[in-house]
């Protein structure tokens, strides 16, 4: 199957989760934290999930499964019962389906995911090793520095200013690289001085912008001659 990484807005989506074990709880918690409506089918759910809005459906009949699948935008199969897993998967063929037992039989992966400040990072090993996904997560968390996070914030700040000043995407990109590679800005970010770095960026953009205006005026004068 041709897996590719995508981010899906699940806010307000209906999610049916078959199962109430550890994996099912993790999936439910993740969807709930991102604004989904979640119903789990099984024996019991934690108070934490219930407090977040999760609903438990204890009726495990095929008719109930059909109704829940019809209601759902996303179906997660995460029970210990292979027969039920296969049945719900079969009737969910037109839905976004995540199979925790056999990921390759679904069409939606839910990889390990984590935040470093505003940065969300997901790791997917094509279902080969969830353990290594967690180990790689630890390595990445140790690599990404505070300076990297501040640079992201600064790039966002810079992009907003540049979009107001320049329609040309290539010009904006050149400025962004100039800001990224500026040693004075790097020094400020290493010292945690984001505000000072923003001021420095404004000077770079405004000075170059004024210079461009001057060059344009000069060229116009030459053309008038």
């Amino acid at each position: 199957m041709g897996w590719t990484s995508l981010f899906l807005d699940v806010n307000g989506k209906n999610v049916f989760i078959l199962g109430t074990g550890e994996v099912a709880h993790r999936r439910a918690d993740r969807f709930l934290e991102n604004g989904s409506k979640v119903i789990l089918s099984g024996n019991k759910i934690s108070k934490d999930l219930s407090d977040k809005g999760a609903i438990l459906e204890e009726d495990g009949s095929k008719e109930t499964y059909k109704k829940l699948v019809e209601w759902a935008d996303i179906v997660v199969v995460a029970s210990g019962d292979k027969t039920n897993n296969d049945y719900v998967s079969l009737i969910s063929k037109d839905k976004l389906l995540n199979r925790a037992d056999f990921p390759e039989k679904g069409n939606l992966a839910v990889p390990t995911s984590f935040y470093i400040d505003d940065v969300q990072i997901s790791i997917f090993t094509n279902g080969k090793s969830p353990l290594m996904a967690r180990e790689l997560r630890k390595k990445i968390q140790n690599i990404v520095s505070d300076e990297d996070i501040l640079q992201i914030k600064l790039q966002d700040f810079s992009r907003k200013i540049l979009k107001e000043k320049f329609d040309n995407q290539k010009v904006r990109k050149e400025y962004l690289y100039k800001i990224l590679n500026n040693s004075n800005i790097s020094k400020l970010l290493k010292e945690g001085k984001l505000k000072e770095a923003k001021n420095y960026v404004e000077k770079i953009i405004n000075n170059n912008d004024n210079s461009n205006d001057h060059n344009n005026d000069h060229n116009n004068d030459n053309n008038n001659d």
Side-chain angles (χ1 to χ4, degrees):
M1 185 174 288
W3 293 104
T4 187
S5 56
L6 298 170
F7 278 88
L8 178 67
D9 183 359
V10 297
N11 184 42
K13 299 295 185 185
N14 297 331
V15 181
F16 164 43
I17 299 178
L18 177 66
T20 52
E22 181 182 348
V23 174
H25 270 66
R26 286 204 307 268
R27 295 282 197 276
D29 189 57
R30 186 159 168 184
F31 282 112
L32 288 165
E33 286 184 350
N34 288 283
S36 300
K37 302 170 185 175
V38 178
I39 296 179
L40 298 96
S41 175
N43 298 322
K44 62 179 181 179
I45 59 175
S46 68
K47 183 177 184 301
D48 180 55
L49 287 187
S50 180
D51 289 344
K52 290 179 179 178
I55 296 173
L56 174 65
E57 174 55 72
E58 297 182 81
D59 181 6
S61 67
K62 289 187 175 180
E63 284 305 312
T64 297
Y65 289 157
K66 287 180 181 178
K67 290 178 182 178
L68 289 173
V69 168
E70 184 178 346
W71 165 82
D73 299 302
I74 299 170
V75 176
V76 176
V77 170
S79 84
D81 188 318
K82 185 178 183 302
T83 300
N84 284 339
N85 287 350
D86 289 342
Y87 175 73
V88 171
S89 296
L90 179 65
I91 63 175
S92 302
K93 59 184 179 180
D94 295 326
K95 301 286 184 174
L96 288 174
L97 172 65
N98 170 242
R99 285 200 65 158
D101 53 353
F102 296 104
E104 69 279 3
K105 292 185 178 181
N107 57 24
L108 177 69
V110 183
T112 180
S113 182
F114 59 100
Y115 279 91
I116 301 177
D117 202 272
D118 291 331
V119 180
Q120 184 175 359
I121 300 171
S122 295
I123 303 172
F124 181 48
T125 62
N126 283 294
K128 294 179 180 179
S129 178
L131 174 63
M132 277 308 299
R134 289 191 288 272
E135 290 302 306
L136 290 172
R137 168 180 177 165
K138 295 175 185 177
K139 291 184 179 182
I140 293 171
Q141 286 174 316
N142 289 330
I143 291 172
V144 178
S145 67
D146 292 340
E147 182 185 350
D148 294 325
I149 299 302
L150 291 179
Q151 182 67 251
I152 291 172
K153 295 179 185 295
L154 186 64
Q155 286 282 313
D156 179 50
F157 172 79
S158 304
R159 289 177 69 240
K160 290 174 182 176
I161 296 176
L162 290 168
K163 282 183 178 181
E164 292 178 356
K165 287 183 173 290
F166 303 104
D167 293 329
N168 190 309
Q169 190 271 339
K170 184 178 179 181
V171 171
R172 297 199 300 267
K173 185 177 180 180
E174 289 174 354
Y175 271 102
L176 291 174
Y177 270 108
K178 185 182 295 185
I179 291 163
L180 176 66
N181 296 316
N182 186 286
S183 59
N184 291 321
I185 288 176
S186 294
K187 183 175 183 295
L188 288 170
L189 294 181
K190 283 180 181 177
E191 296 171 354
K193 298 177 180 178
L194 179 60
K195 182 177 179 181
E196 289 83 347
K198 287 181 177 180
N199 291 337
Y200 200 98
V201 163
E202 288 181 319
K203 289 178 182 177
I204 290 175
I205 295 173
N206 289 330
N207 287 341
N208 284 344
D209 189 26
N210 291 335
S211 175
N212 289 336
D213 289 342
H214 175 74
N215 289 334
N216 289 335
D217 290 341
H218 179 70
N219 289 334
N220 288 336
D221 289 341
N222 288 337
N223 289 334
N224 289 334
D225 291 343

